[in-house]
Amino acid sequence: LIVGAAADALAWLVKPGSKVKLVCAVLAFGCMVSGLTAWEKEQKIRDLSAQVIKVRADWQADAARLQADVDSRDQRLAEVAAALRAEAEKLEALKAESAAALQELAG
């Protein structure tokens, strides 16, 4: 039964001048073109997705680097502020010592 159906289909395909064959050929060509177009668009989408992922990774790396720079700057500013406070305390101590020495000289 299957072999007979295949033989009949082959005989039908070989027979020239069928309008159904022309319609099938046009539809097959249209399906092939739309399939290739869809495949090309999918490739473009994959390329753009890969670029988006790379840009996001670069952005996150830049954000982490900038945050580390800000943290380093804040730490250096805290160290400078601590050093300035220590110097201010030393100056206050020297000022008090100087005032005491002036009092002693005046007295």
Side-chain angles (χ1 to χ4, degrees):
L1 181 65
I2 294 174
V3 174
D8 290 340
L10 183 62
W12 177 76
L13 287 173
V14 173
K15 186 170 89 175
S18 175
K19 291 181 183 179
V20 175
K21 286 183 204 177
L22 179 64
V23 170
C24 288
V26 169
L27 288 176
F29 181 74
C31 288
M32 182 181 68
V33 169
S34 67
L36 289 174
T37 304
W39 179 78
E40 183 180 355
K41 287 181 181 179
E42 177 67 25
Q43 293 302 314
K44 286 181 183 179
I45 289 171
R46 286 184 184 182
D47 292 343
L48 290 175
S49 296
Q51 289 176 358
V52 166
I53 290 170
K54 184 183 179 300
V55 166
R56 282 184 182 168
D58 292 345
W59 178 80
Q60 288 175 348
D62 288 345
R65 182 182 52 81
L66 290 173
Q67 186 61 44
D69 290 347
V70 168
D71 292 343
S72 173
R73 183 205 62 196
D74 289 347
Q75 183 181 5
R76 287 194 309 266
L77 286 175
E79 290 171 359
V80 167
L84 287 175
R85 285 187 196 103
E87 289 297 319
E89 289 173 2
K90 286 179 187 176
L91 286 175
E92 287 296 324
L94 288 174
K95 183 178 174 183
E97 184 179 318
S98 176
L102 281 176
Q103 282 290 357
E104 188 177 310
L105 286 175

